[in-house]
Amino acid sequence: MLPLLMKDGLLVPYISTTLLYIIISRSTTPVFVLPSEEYRLQRRLQKFTFYWSMFGVIALTALSVFATPPPKLPDLLPVLVSVYSCSHFLLFLVYFHVRQFQCKDSETMDTSHTPYTQLKKKQ
């Protein structure tokens, strides 16, 4: 999608909405809440993969904007963006498919980080 956004001159809105996404996700998702002892490693891994993913997006965007592809491979950067996006889709597909069969009921899920649970504890 990045090559099409660049072709249509929508690079600035793309970058601004990406930054807005990072700011909002950093302030609202439970990945960044202080973890309980049981799930500390899992949350660290989630945080690491989130930042690694965002680093890849930023690097591919910078390469697409500032680098010129070699003459023999003029479509190299769009292909790299497509491979990166497809790999993310497949990894999330496998992760959530496995995850849905690991949770048997609501008692096995960690809901201590949700806003509703925190509000309920305060009352």
Side-chain angles (χ1 to χ4, degrees):
M1 189 139 160
L2 178 62
L4 293 175
L5 292 171
M6 289 176 57
K7 183 179 178 182
D8 293 339
L10 297 172
L11 187 63
V12 173
Y14 164 73
I15 291 173
S16 62
T17 54
T18 302
L19 289 174
L20 183 65
Y21 167 74
I22 292 171
I23 291 168
I24 289 173
S25 66
R26 176 144 166 78
S27 63
T28 61
T29 57
V31 172
F32 302 105
V33 175
L34 291 175
S36 64
E37 291 297 324
E38 300 170 4
Y39 298 100
R40 186 175 298 253
L41 179 62
Q42 180 183 357
R43 292 196 180 144
R44 280 187 184 171
L45 182 62
Q46 287 175 342
K47 197 176 195 181
F48 173 76
T49 54
F50 175 79
Y51 285 128
W52 188 251
S53 174
M54 286 296 110
F55 173 74
V57 169
I58 292 168
L60 283 172
T61 301
L63 274 174
S64 296
V65 171
F66 299 115
T68 56
K72 287 185 176 182
L73 301 169
D75 294 327
L76 177 65
L77 295 174
V79 168
L80 286 177
V81 170
S82 299
V83 167
Y84 187 77
S85 300
C86 181
S87 66
H88 269 71
F89 174 77
L90 292 176
L91 286 172
F92 280 114
L93 177 74
V94 170
Y95 172 76
F96 286 113
H97 186 72
V98 169
R99 186 86 173 135
Q100 81 179 14
F101 292 112
Q102 287 179 344
C103 294
K104 296 190 183 343
D105 56 17
S106 62
E107 292 177 5
T108 61
M109 293 173 38
D110 176 31
T111 58
S112 62
H113 60 275
T114 60
Y116 176 74
T117 308
Q118 291 174 354
L119 180 65
K120 192 175 174 182
K121 287 179 183 178
K122 288 180 183 179
Q123 294 176 354

